[in-house]
Amino acid sequence: MSGDKTVMKAWARAQSRLGRRQAMPIVGLGMLSSLVAVGQAWCVAAILARVLVGRAGPGPGGAGATGLLATLAVLALARGLCLMLGDIAAARAGRAARLRLRDGVLSAILRGGPALLRRQHSAELTALAVDRVEALDGFFARWIPASMLWIAAPGLIAVLAAFVQPGSAAIMAACGLAVPVGQALFGIGAAVASRNQFLAMTRLQARFLDRVRGIATIVLAGRTEDEAHRLADAADELRRRTMKILRVAFLSSASIDCAMVMALVLIALRNGGVVLGLHHGDMPPAVIADATMRGLFVLLLVPEFFVPLRGLALAYQDRAHAAGAASAMAVLPDGDVRAAGGATVQAGAHGVSVAFEHVTFAWDAARGAVLDDLSFAVPAGQTLILVGPSGSGKSTIIEMLLGFVMPGGGRVTIGGADLAALAPSTLSGLVSWIGQKPVLFAGTLRENILFARPDASAEEVEDALRAAAVDTFLAGLPEGLETRIGEGGFGLSGGQAQRVAIARAYLKNAPLLLLDEPTAHLDPATEADILASLRGLARGRTVILASHSASVHEFTGQRLDLGLRHPAPALGEHEHVG
């Protein structure tokens, strides 16, 4: 726990240092606004003193009152301009900080690679990149400027008030010093409540995403009511935790109001006694007017004195969000460490070699190892066909080569380099994967294909379309390559979606091709067409194929029966692998 607190404090300090530079214009405008507010208080006090004393003595001078009113109007416009420019600067600082942080979070997720998705739920990472970063807007736009203004602006006001009434300035300072103590007490509760609220939000997001993904299974199992109640409970937990944050915020605001009221009462009593004594002493009206104006001036300064402190209290919740974000971001990989250990692989003209050396792996230790002392080698440009019953480890081998999981024992090498030493970006460049259901996004066909290589030329895209036989159905689509499809390839048949995935793999041109049941759920005619395209894609590449289909006899190469745990000799052109 102490280590987590140290990490959070270090992160908050680092972010504060980065945010202070952009916060300086906000601080400068805040100081100028406080100075203008002092001028406004002086003008209002002078006008009120003339009116109040004028009822008991000589009336106010018309020319002087007019000048004060004009000055007050100018100062009001100046202060409005300062506040407007300050809000604009705060919005810009928050936007720049969120852009920087979100870029860092996304880069860290990419550095973590597929293995990060095994440790963290995708909904948690999404909440981190979206909600957590968005909630930090106030930390940079409000908290960092407020953390500097809460001392500078009240200090300026107290110094100016001391020139008029040193005793009243001392009362303001004493009451103001009580505010940070209250904020520190409430801040502990605010930080805990904020972390709990984000935890509840993350749980709700993860639960909702899982239930949406498995809605068909839930309906078939007749558990819709149960899952609806669980979602309702998770939403109610989020509501209760959010209300706790609001309660802490109200208590924090109340502590400032109490300090301000105390300062107003003490200063009013002090000045009331002074003015009353002057009246009873039959002092000249000019002296009484001056004392009245000074007393009113200091009283009017009290709310302005507490404005920066109130801003600090309002922004304290933003600091709590930052503490919660710091603890959440601790799950992201350290970029410097990962970069230092990155190995490189030089792919040859015919793919890269792949080797498993005494590899063991277990998804659950209680259920035993899925892979137990597994060893095999695939030379560059060769094909390995994985066969065996469901649960024998075919998909585990594929996921290991994709970087989703790491061996529990032994090692995996690609091109002679240890898989654990490869940076995720390097591994991604080496591998193309085609599974049972291709990963297609909502967008145009062109965007989905270019996802593999956004900088590919038009000629390279055309070559990939022809090689994958996408051009055979492209003419029948409403807008050809610009036709929009839905998430998961909605709008395309299973065979068409697989052809898009094959075109993407052609365009990527990676030396290692992983095929995990690529023809599952396809009819025999479509399966034959897809396998023909895959054979063309496999030329000049190292291929690892996992499939239950008897049609894989069309691929030649080494066979590994995971039920027997040893590689079989190379197959002839027409030998059957079933």
Side-chain angles (χ1 to χ4, degrees):
M1 182 63 70
S2 60
D4 292 342
K5 289 183 178 179
T6 302
V7 171
M8 288 190 293
K9 289 180 179 178
W11 185 89
R13 284 196 297 269
Q15 295 303 322
S16 296
R17 285 195 299 270
L18 292 171
R20 282 196 189 105
R21 182 175 180 181
Q22 289 185 322
M24 292 311 296
I26 309 171
V27 175
L29 289 165
M31 293 293 291
L32 182 59
S33 176
S34 296
L35 193 59
V36 172
V38 173
Q40 287 180 293
W42 183 267
C43 291
V44 172
I47 293 171
L48 290 176
R50 285 168 176 261
V51 172
L52 293 173
V53 175
R55 292 176 179 173
T66 303
L68 287 171
L69 288 172
T71 304
L72 184 62
V74 172
L75 290 175
L77 290 174
R79 192 175 190 192
L81 182 63
C82 288
L83 293 175
M84 182 187 73
L85 293 176
D87 287 343
I88 293 173
R92 288 176 177 170
R95 183 170 60 248
R98 293 198 314 273
L99 182 63
R100 173 175 55 80
L101 279 173
R102 188 164 283 125
D103 182 66
V105 169
L106 292 175
S107 297
I109 291 173
L110 291 175
R111 283 198 305 272
L116 182 61
L117 294 173
R118 281 294 179 193
R119 300 195 305 270
Q120 298 295 321
H121 196 286
S122 58
E124 294 177 0
L125 295 176
T126 302
L128 178 59
V130 179
D131 297 324
R132 291 278 189 179
V133 172
E134 201 64 29
L136 289 174
D137 175 75
F139 179 76
F140 295 96
R142 292 185 294 273
W143 166 255
I144 292 179
S147 66
M148 293 186 278
L149 276 172
W150 80 275
I151 295 178
L156 174 65
I157 293 173
V159 168
L160 294 175
F163 284 107
V164 178
Q165 284 189 353
S168 297
I171 292 173
M172 276 193 290
C175 292
L177 289 174
V179 173
V181 177
Q183 294 306 302
L185 293 175
F186 291 119
I188 297 172
V192 173
S194 177
R195 285 196 294 270
N196 290 338
Q197 191 248 7
F198 264 112
L199 179 61
M201 181 185 296
T202 300
R203 286 173 178 169
L204 177 60
Q205 289 171 326
R207 179 179 289 274
F208 184 76
L209 180 61
D210 285 341
R211 291 340 178 241
V212 169
R213 286 173 173 171
I215 188 67
T217 303
I218 293 171
V219 171
L220 290 173
R223 302 298 298 272
T224 52
E225 286 293 330
D226 294 340
E227 292 304 327
H229 286 308
R230 289 192 178 96
L231 283 174
D233 291 340
D236 188 63
E237 181 188 5
L238 177 60
R239 178 193 62 80
R240 286 186 283 104
R241 294 187 186 278
T242 303
M243 294 305 296
K244 286 182 180 179
I245 293 178
L246 292 177
R247 283 200 294 270
V248 173
F250 285 134
L251 289 172
S252 175
S253 178
S255 68
I256 296 179
D257 291 336
C258 290
M260 185 177 70
V261 169
M262 182 65 70
L264 282 170
V265 170
L266 293 175
I267 293 173
L269 289 174
R270 181 181 184 279
N271 282 284
V274 171
V275 174
L276 188 61
L278 291 175
H279 273 288
H280 285 293
D282 295 327
M283 297 297 292
V287 176
I288 297 175
D290 182 68
T292 302
M293 184 186 72
R294 288 171 179 270
L296 289 171
F297 171 66
V298 176
L299 277 173
L300 291 170
L301 284 184
V302 172
E304 296 299 335
F305 178 88
F306 283 91
V307 164
L309 296 171
R310 189 180 297 280
L312 181 72
L314 293 174
Y316 211 91
Q317 183 60 37
D318 298 314
R319 183 180 180 275
H321 286 324
S327 62
M329 290 183 183
V331 304
L332 297 177
D334 184 351
D336 296 334
V337 174
R338 295 299 295 262
T344 58
V345 176
Q346 296 295 330
H350 301 288
V352 291
S353 62
V354 175
F356 275 49
E357 301 174 5
H358 305 288
V359 172
T360 60
F361 180 81
W363 293 104
D364 184 356
R367 296 189 304 177
V370 177
L371 304 179
D372 184 14
D373 195 29
L374 176 64
S375 297
F376 65 82
V378 186
Q382 298 298 309
T383 296
L384 174 67
I385 302 169
L386 302 176
V387 296
S390 296
S392 60
K394 299 188 299 298
S395 294
T396 301
I397 292 173
I398 298 292
E399 292 197 25
M400 197 169 286
L401 290 170
L402 287 170
F404 280 98
V405 294
M406 289 294 163
R411 71 169 191 153
V412 178
T413 62
I414 299 179
D418 195 326
L419 179 67
L422 291 176
S425 57
T426 302
L427 180 60
S428 175
L430 291 170
V431 177
S432 288
W433 168 84
I434 299 176
Q436 299 181 27
K437 186 174 178 61
V439 180
L440 300 181
F441 309 100
T444 65
L445 281 178
R446 184 186 300 277
E447 290 168 344
N448 272 275
I449 294 172
L450 284 175
F451 181 76
R453 248 183 68 207
D455 59 343
S457 65
E459 291 77 14
E460 289 172 324
V461 173
E462 290 296 328
D463 291 342
L465 295 177
R466 284 193 297 270
V470 174
D471 54 350
T472 59
F473 66 87
L474 201 59
L477 297 178
E479 299 178 53
L481 203 55
E482 303 303 326
T483 300
R484 300 192 68 83
I485 60 174
E487 193 72 26
F490 182 79
L492 297 177
S493 68
Q496 290 172 338
Q498 284 291 48
R499 290 194 182 282
V500 173
I502 295 170
R504 183 189 287 169
Y506 266 109
L507 195 61
K508 186 174 183 180
N509 196 25
L512 176 59
L513 177 62
L514 304 178
L515 304 175
D516 189 5
E517 301 285 357
T519 59
H521 315 304
L522 297 178
D523 61 84
T526 305
E527 180 185 35
D529 290 340
I530 295 298
L531 285 173
S533 296
L534 289 175
R535 286 200 307 275
L537 177 62
R539 283 195 289 270
R541 293 179 174 85
T542 304
V543 180
I544 296 182
L545 167 64
S547 178
H548 287 103
S549 174
S551 299
V552 295
H553 69 273
E554 298 180 17
F555 283 84
T556 59
Q558 193 177 180
R559 169 184 145 177
L560 176 62
D561 191 332
L562 292 172
L564 301 176
R565 289 292 192 273
H566 63 79
L571 302 175
E573 182 67 29
H574 301 290
E575 288 187 73
H576 184 61
V577 299

